[in-house]
Amino acid sequence: MNSVKTFVEAVKTTRHAITQVVDRFGIEESKASNWLTEQVSRAKFITMTESERGQTRMFSKDGNVFILDEVNDVVITAYPSDARREVEAKELHELVTRSVMREFRRFEKQAEKLVRRNTITVAKIDLEIAELQLKILRARIGDKITEMKQRCETLAVTKEKLELEITEVKRKKKQMARGVALYV
């Protein structure tokens, strides 16, 4: 992971986050900001996630999930875990938490490798397509032009598949992170 901020300093809240806390947790509006600040300051970093706004950081405390801005300590939203329960056997809970986090980190590393590998391959494909397009412009023989255009089309299909793999692994990572938050 590239210099991801996995801790929280001075927590700020958005209006949306306050509304979510009032609606989802039943906290009085006048106390919501302080409650959020206290919860987030004690929450554990789970992972970076993709959202409509771009990259965000996911934190969790007692099964509750808090989504923060990628860089700034601004709480964007918060939601309780649907499966949140008190765990009587603390040792078992800690064992499960460690195991779940270990497996998630393993998946996260594999996902990062796939994203990196596919991103590099896509860049190489873009470069090859650009070179072929230049050769097409310079070429005079129709058969050669047709051959190069077919190669460009093949490369475009391969590029699309690689980009879909990237999108899918990011979606799976986000889904897994939400599941992990149930145990942390």
Side-chain angles (χ1 to χ4, degrees), residues 40-99:
V40 171
S41 65
R42 294 183 181 158
K44 183 174 183 175
F45 174 76
I46 304 298
T47 190
M48 294 297 295
T49 60
E50 297 280 333
S51 74
E52 308 82 48
R53 297 178 171 177
Q55 290 277 319
T56 56
R57 296 177 292 155
M58 178 185 288
F59 288 81
S60 177
K61 180 181 179 296
D62 300 330
N64 298 323
V65 177
F66 306 96
I67 304 297
L68 280 72
D69 179 80
E70 179 181 12
V71 178
N72 301 314
D73 293 332
V74 177
V75 181
I76 297 168
T77 191
Y79 50 93
S81 164
D82 295 334
R84 189 169 50 124
R85 293 187 177 89
E86 287 295 319
V87 178
E88 297 291 330
K90 188 171 176 110
E91 288 180 34
L92 177 61
H93 181 263
E94 290 171 359
L95 178 66
V96 169
T97 298
R98 279 194 307 272
S99 179

Side-chain angles (χ1 to χ4, degrees), residues 96-111:
V96 169
T97 298
R98 279 194 307 272
S99 179
V100 167
M101 287 301 294
R102 183 175 46 250
E103 290 304 312
F104 177 69
R105 294 292 179 230
R106 184 175 298 148
F107 173 80
E108 195 172 38
K109 284 179 184 178
Q110 291 172 347

